[in-house]
């Protein structure tokens, strides 16, 4: 264990995040997300027992989001009603905005477009969270002097 690192951030997650560069993406998937089929070989990390909100908050303490793109985060639209917003998205928005100290825009993506983008992500973190539509993609930014 390390000080000031959330319990849901194990060594494999730390290693994955540390290897990412500017513009690389990481997927946090819920229990229904096809993590095995979307992840690149050796780039899948399991975070069983963690929910996505807990993991997202912990990752945002470590990972700067890309400020050079309009939407450094992406979520999957509801298949049955793309205009409806799952309640968890509001919680995501609060965490993203607080972590970055500014409004952060989330791109809403059609299900299969989200899967295709996930296949190109640097890594996938699979949780056991059963919340529907709790998947999110984060694009890594750069560290500034305020981050040290």
């Amino acid at each position: 264990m390390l000080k000031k690192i959330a319990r849901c951030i194990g060594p494999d997650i730390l290693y994955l995040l540390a290897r990412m560069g500017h513009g690389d993406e990481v997927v946090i998937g819920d229990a229904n997300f096809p993590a095995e089929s979307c992840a690149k070989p050796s780039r899948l990390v399991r975070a069983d027992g963690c929910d996505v909100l807990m993991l997202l908050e912990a990752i945002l303490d470590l990972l700067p989001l890309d400020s050079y793109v309009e939407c450094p985060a992406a979520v999957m639209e509801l298949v049955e009603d793309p205009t409806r917003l799952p309640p968890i998205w509001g919680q995501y928005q609060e965490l993203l905005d607080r972590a970055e100290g500014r409004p952060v825009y989330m791109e809403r993506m059609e299900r299969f477009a989200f899967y295709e983008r996930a296949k190109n992500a640097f890594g996938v973190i699979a949780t056991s969270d059963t919340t529907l539509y709790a998947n999110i993609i984060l694009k890594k930014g750069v560290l500034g002097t305020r981050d040290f």
Side-chain angles (χ1 to χ4, degrees):
M1 292 299 297
L2 298 171
K3 293 168 105 177
K4 299 184 181 182
I5 294 181
R7 289 182 302 180
C8 62
I9 302 286
D12 293 335
I13 294 174
L14 279 174
Y15 184 57
L16 177 78
L17 298 175
R19 292 183 311 168
M20 291 174 64
H22 179 221
D24 284 341
E25 294 184 326
V26 63
V27 179
I28 304 173
D30 62 30
N32 293 300
F33 183 74
E36 289 283 343
S37 59
C38 284
K40 294 177 181 174
S42 77
R43 298 272 176 91
L44 172 64
V45 177
R46 300 232 33 112
D48 296 307
C50 292
D51 65 52
V52 173
L53 279 173
M54 177 192 318
L55 191 56
L56 176 62
E57 183 172 24
I59 287 173
L60 290 172
D61 281 343
L62 304 170
L63 185 84
L65 295 180
D66 196 336
S67 60
Y68 298 117
V69 296
E70 185 178 346
C71 300
V75 290
M76 183 190 304
E77 292 177 338
L78 277 71
V79 172
E80 62 276 4
D81 183 1
T83 63
R84 203 174 98 219
L85 306 178
I88 197 165
W89 289 6
Q91 294 170 289
Y92 286 176
Q93 194 65 64
E94 289 175 22
L95 291 175
L96 292 164
D97 292 353
R98 185 176 20 163
E100 291 296 301
R102 63 179 173 88
V104 174
Y105 300 103
M106 294 187 293
E107 180 180 355
R108 295 168 50 183
M109 300 183 69
E110 183 272 333
R111 175 182 164 204
F112 293 107
F114 188 95
Y115 290 160
E116 285 305 311
R117 184 165 170 183
K119 289 176 183 176
N120 292 311
F122 184 85
V124 175
I125 303 170
T127 71
S128 54
D129 192 332
T130 57
T131 305
L132 297 177
Y133 294 96
N135 310 300
I136 187 166
I137 298 173
L138 303 174
K139 184 180 286 287
K140 186 175 183 179
V142 296
L143 294 175
T145 55
R146 68 175 174 84
D147 297 308
F148 296 99

